[in-house]
């Protein structure tokens, strides 16, 4: 009976820490949730450390890493004087609760997943255990989401800058065509940056699905198909026809228009190629789901 008492106390301690962690997550307090999560991992259970993979703890760790900075940013804006002090606690809670993770935090989460992949590789001895086959889709899906969030955030920032410049340029007589061209050039730079990141994701996935067990994973094939469709959409450049029709260009600008049309033609071709790749990936995913190699 005496030998069971320490074990019961450890289980009670683990239960309390788990409750505290989930409560902090519900309140959006990711800083304290991270501390509780770390204490859980350091807790001994039957003379062994708690398994990170059990009860979804590995996913909670990534969530904390991703959302902690978003919460801190909101709190700094509240108490740092950058927003009005009239915001009540309920409004502040909803802002924290609805805050998306910060894309700048993704490298931390990616490094976390990379370590999990190395620490828990796939094993034929225990094929049903949580291993790299579970971590790779989570990491890649998060990578895709972080890139899309960064893309949308950049577009919103560009739109805000454009509105500000419209107000200032209305006084100095800047033409609407010049403003439109500036906006399109900025959007084009954002598109190219997102396309480059999407190609990095695709290259990582292509390397991964070359051999088993990853080549037999239907989830990875579905993700690869969606990435191809995404790359196809990003391959098509911004349409500058509107700006071109309103402005008279010199020889250099005329050459730029020719190059832009060429880019659009290549974009159409690239989109078709990526669509074909996506179709193949989806077919292979269906074959894996049905048990056919």
């Amino acid at each position: 009976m005496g030998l069971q008492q320490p074990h019961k106390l450890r289980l009670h301690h683990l239960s309390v820490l788990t409750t505290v962690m989930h409560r902090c997550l519900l309140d959006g307090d990711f800083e304290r949730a991270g501390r509780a999560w770390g204490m859980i991992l350091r807790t001994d259970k039957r003379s062994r450390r708690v398994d990170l993979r059990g009860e979804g703890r590995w996913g909670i760790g990534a969530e904390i890493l991703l959302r902690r900075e978003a919460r801190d940013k909101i709190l700094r804006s509240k108490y740092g004087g950058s927003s009005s002090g009239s915001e009540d606690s309920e409004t502040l809670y909803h802002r924290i609760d609805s805050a998306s993770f910060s894309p700048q935090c993704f490298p931390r989460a990616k490094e976390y997943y990379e370590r999990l992949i190395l620490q828990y590789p796939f094993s034929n001895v225990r094929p049903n255990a949580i291993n790299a086959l579970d971590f790779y889709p989570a990491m890649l899906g998060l990578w895709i989401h972080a890139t899309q969030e960064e893309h949308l955030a950049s577009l919103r920032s560009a739109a805000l800058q454009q509105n500000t410049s419209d107000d200032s340029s209305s006084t100095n007589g800047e033409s609407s065509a010049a403003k439109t061209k500036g906006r399109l050039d900025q959007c084009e730079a954002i598109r190219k940056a997102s396309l480059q990141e999407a190609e990095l994701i695709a290259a990582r996935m292509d390397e991964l699905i070359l051999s088993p067990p990853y080549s037999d994973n239907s989830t990875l094939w579905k993700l690869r198909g969606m990435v191809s469709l995404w790359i196809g959409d990003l391959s098509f450049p911004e349409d500058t026809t509107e700006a071109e029709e309103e402005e008279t260009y010199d020889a250099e600008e005329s050459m730029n228009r020719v190059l832009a049309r060429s880019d659009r033609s290549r974009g159409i071709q690239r989109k078709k190629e990526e669509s074909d790749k996506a179709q193949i990936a989806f077919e292979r995913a269906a074959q894996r789901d049905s048990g056919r190699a």
Side-chain angles (χ1 to χ4, degrees):
M1 200 65 183
L3 294 176
Q4 293 181 352
Q5 188 66 19
H7 175 62
K8 289 182 179 180
L9 290 175
R10 282 195 293 268
L11 288 180
H12 178 70
H13 179 63
L14 181 61
S15 177
V16 170
L17 287 175
T18 303
T19 301
V20 170
M21 180 185 69
H22 284 288
R23 182 64 202 180
C24 291
L25 289 173
L26 287 172
D27 291 343
D29 191 345
F30 297 101
E31 183 68 34
R32 287 189 175 90
R35 294 174 189 170
W37 182 75
M39 293 175 68
I40 289 172
L41 296 185
R42 291 190 293 271
T43 301
D44 291 334
K45 185 178 180 182
R46 296 188 183 276
S47 301
R48 293 190 303 176
R49 290 293 176 89
V50 172
D51 192 342
L52 174 66
R53 298 170 293 173
E55 301 176 5
R57 280 184 284 267
W58 62 275
I60 292 174
E63 185 77 9
I64 292 171
L65 286 172
L66 288 166
R67 298 191 56 158
R68 180 186 298 176
E69 186 170 313
R71 173 191 179 274
D72 292 346
K73 188 180 296 184
I74 291 174
L75 291 178
R76 284 196 299 269
S77 69
K78 166 66 177 177
Y79 298 109
S82 60
S83 65
S84 63
S86 60
E87 188 175 44
D88 57 24
S89 298
E90 184 177 355
T91 304
L92 181 65
Y93 170 80
H94 285 299
R95 285 184 63 199
I96 293 173
D97 183 60
S98 61
S100 175
F101 70 84
S102 173
Q104 289 76 22
C105 291
F106 170 70
R108 302 179 191 171
K110 183 173 180 290
E111 181 182 0
Y112 166 76
Y113 277 123
E114 297 278 15
R115 291 183 179 181
L116 290 180
I117 289 167
L118 292 175
Q119 187 173 355
Y120 302 106
F122 175 81
S123 173
N124 288 320
V125 178
R126 300 183 62 192
N128 295 324
I130 296 176
N131 54 55
L133 277 176
D134 301 285
F135 302 138
Y136 264 121
M139 184 189 73
L140 293 168
L142 189 59
W143 194 351
I144 293 168
H145 185 55
T147 304
Q148 290 175 332
E149 284 289 312
E150 184 70 24
H151 180 86
L152 294 175
S154 298
L155 289 178
R156 287 192 293 267
S157 177
L160 184 61
Q161 292 177 8
Q162 183 65 29
N163 292 336
T164 304
S165 64
D166 286 346
D167 295 338
S168 61
S169 62
S170 59
T171 59
N172 57 26
E174 185 180 358
S175 68
S176 60
K179 290 186 290 185
T180 300
K181 186 176 184 301
R183 175 180 61 81
L184 291 174
D185 288 344
Q186 196 169 11
C187 291
E188 181 67 4
I190 295 171
R191 179 193 69 84
K192 289 181 177 179
S194 297
L195 177 59
Q196 184 177 12
E197 194 69 17
E199 289 171 341
L200 287 176
I201 298 172
R204 178 69 181 272
M205 297 186 74
D206 288 339
E207 180 182 349
L208 185 64
I209 57 180
L210 280 175
S211 59
Y214 307 107
S215 60
D216 298 326
N217 188 281
S218 63
T219 302
L220 289 174
W221 281 109
K222 290 173 186 176
L223 272 176
R224 184 61 185 89
M226 288 186 279
V227 169
S228 286
L229 294 176
W230 180 34
I231 290 176
D233 291 337
L234 290 174
S235 297
F236 198 76
E238 292 289 333
D239 186 7
T240 58
T241 305
E242 178 184 352
E244 292 170 358
E245 290 177 349
E246 297 180 10
E247 190 74 44
T248 302
Y249 293 98
D250 55 20
E252 182 179 354
E253 290 297 329
S254 297
M255 178 59 68
N256 290 336
R257 292 170 62 186
V258 172
L259 293 175
R261 290 194 181 98
S262 177
D263 287 341
R264 288 197 293 274
S265 298
R266 286 195 297 269
I268 293 172
Q269 180 64 28
R270 176 78 182 277
K271 187 169 185 176
K272 183 180 182 305
E273 293 172 357
E274 293 297 333
S275 179
D276 293 340
K277 289 182 182 179
Q279 184 63 33
I280 293 172
F282 291 140
E283 289 175 357
R284 292 185 179 177
Q287 290 173 359
R288 269 65 179 178
D289 283 335
S290 64
R292 293 180 289 118

